[in-house]
Amino acid sequence: MNNKSKYTAAAAQLGPIDPSEPKESVVARMLNLLIEAKTKGTELVVFPELCLTTFFPRYYITDPANLDTYYESEVPISLMSDMFELVRKEKIIISFGYAERDNGIPFNTSVYVDSSGNIVGKYRKIHLPGHYEYEPDRPFQHLEKRYFTKGNLGFPTFDTTLGRLGMCICNDRRWPETYRVLALQGCEVVTLGYNTPKHYPLAPEHDHLQEFHNHLCMQAAAYANGMWVIASAKAGLEDNCELIGGSCIISPRGEIVAEANTTMDELVVAQIDLNECTLIRENIFDFNFDIYIPLYIYIYYIFFY
Ligand code: CDV
């Protein structure tokens, strides 16, 4: 693969999506961001988690027909054909999240589509937060555990012309092992999308720290694993639920090199240099597999046997 070590990348943050907004309208907004990305010479564009609709795990939906409308049985190629055409023509790689039903099994999924116009990578969310049943005391629900099955693809990495890429989704980003598992496979750029309410009903004491915790976990992981993180929010006031913004691009030094200024549709752009991964991995955190893999196996045995 003819790898580029330097290129322009973007987090394509989306503002709120009202439950009444049709998918066609959302995709038109995504296309606008992609056109802007193209004019800025961007080669990798990351859209948020479950980005084709409102964040529906917020609702307790009892009508199966209504619930069905949120899922795709396959990547909605015809709905997104203008975007895929642009991706092909301009040789861009995009990632975006959607609710998938694979033979009836529901997953919170993210994919890469590359300049061939094909789906070249898929990830299904592993850390599913929230609850299974309706909880009347909450101001809004978080029913990811009810609506999705735990991802069954592990944390795969994908060799592309823009380096070795890997995905995680929203709550996955708070768990250090997500990044370490990707990094041990040589991942250089982690792309992720999120829907994070400002108010967390289980620990409202932390509400004022939501933006801080968002960046804290990703900055620490970028540094500790020597990799780039591109994080894209669905942000703003979505049907009365405030979602944090803060979409950003973080270097392997742990620094935020570009960040959203709004909670609306916004493109956050930065230059990626994959050599910076090597700088950290060769000088600070040297992933010498011979040394570390036995250590990880040892730790695994201590904790799980
Ligand atoms: N979509 C998410 O996974 N949201 C969680 C919230 C519920 C804490 C998050 O980790 O941001």
Side-chain angles (χ1 to χ4, degrees):
M1 185 132 337
N2 188 12
N3 267 11
K4 268 191 180 181
S5 61
K6 294 185 185 172
Y7 56 87
T8 307
Q13 175 175 284
L14 287 171
I17 299 174
D18 192 76
S20 64
E21 183 168 353
K23 287 177 189 167
E24 289 74 10
S25 158
V26 178
V27 171
R29 287 166 54 186
M30 292 169 72
L31 180 62
N32 281 341
L33 287 167
L34 197 56
I35 292 168
E36 184 186 340
K38 183 204 89 168
T39 61
K40 294 184 168 152
T42 309
E43 295 182 72
L44 175 61
V45 181
V46 180
F47 290 95
E49 173 191 33
L50 298 175
C51 69
L52 301 177
T53 66
T54 202
F55 188 72
F56 69 94
R58 175 187 313 127
Y59 309 106
Y60 179 59
I61 302 168
T62 50
D63 173 11
N66 181 11
L67 191 57
D68 280 354
T69 62
Y70 290 102
Y71 292 90
E72 314 293 331
S73 52
E74 51 194 46
V75 173
I77 293 176
S78 59
L79 179 70
M80 303 179 79
S81 60
D82 289 346
M83 285 184 68
F84 282 27
E85 187 51 41
L86 195 62
V87 160
R88 249 193 304 267
K89 200 162 137 236
E90 300 297 331
K91 306 216 174 316
I92 300 172
I93 297 179
I94 62 169
S95 106
F96 61 92
Y98 66 101
E100 177 190 18
R101 261 211 201 116
D102 180 20
N103 286 318
I105 304 174
F107 295 104
N108 184 339
T109 297
S110 230
V111 288
Y112 289 126
V113 178
D114 79 354
S115 55
S116 67
N118 295 320
I119 290 102
V120 294
K122 182 180 272 191
Y123 167 70
R124 291 169 172 159
K125 185 173 181 179
I126 288 177
H127 300 95
L128 293 171
H131 47 111
Y132 292 93
E133 302 300 337
Y134 179 64
E135 295 188 4
D137 291 342
R138 290 179 180 249
F140 50 86
Q141 306 295 298
H142 196 107
L143 289 159
E144 279 195 69
K145 283 191 167 66
R146 181 181 186 88
Y147 295 146
F148 300 114
T149 305
K150 187 176 165 174
N152 58 358
L153 301 175
F155 287 103
T157 59
F158 305 95
D159 271 324
T160 74
T161 49
L162 304 179
R164 189 171 287 196
L165 310 183
M167 291 175 266
C168 67
I169 301 178
C170 196
N171 195 258
D172 290 323
R173 78 192 187 288
R174 301 184 190 271
W175 301 77
E177 55 270 34
T178 294
Y179 306 86
R180 183 51 57 94
V181 168
L182 288 166
L184 285 171
Q185 299 171 76
C187 180
E188 296 164 294
V189 183
V190 179
T191 64
L192 67 97
Y194 59 94
N195 283 265
T196 297
K198 172 89 178 157
H199 175 53
Y200 187 59
L202 300 182
E205 300 80 359
H206 293 173
D207 285 1
H208 70 290
L209 298 172
Q210 286 295 355
E211 286 84 354
F212 168 64
H213 286 159
N214 176 37
H215 287 160
L216 175 71
C217 54
M218 297 190 293
Q219 287 183 258
Y223 171 62
N225 294 284
M227 52 196 189
W228 290 86
V229 176
I230 305 176
S232 185
K234 171 116 75 53
L237 196 62
E238 195 173 81
D239 198 18
N240 247 357
C241 177
E242 188 184 348
L243 300 172
I244 66 164
S247 299
C248 59
I249 300 184
I250 301 168
S251 81
R253 293 173 311 244
E255 283 180 305
I256 295 178
V257 294
E259 184 180 345
N261 295 312
T262 72
T263 50
M264 305 302 289
D265 294 2
E266 182 180 343
L267 200 70
V268 179
V269 180
Q271 297 302 311
I272 301 287
D273 182 352
L274 299 182
N275 299 313
E276 290 204 35
C277 305
T278 318
L279 200 63
I280 295 285
R281 288 180 186 180
E282 285 188 353
N283 296 303
I284 316 285
F285 302 109
D286 186 353
F287 291 158
N288 183 332
F289 279 27
D290 292 339
I291 294 171
Y292 285 106
I293 286 194
L295 177 65
Y296 286 133
I297 292 169
Y298 176 65
I299 291 170
Y300 181 83
Y301 272 98
I302 288 182
F303 281 103
F304 296 104
Y305 287 94

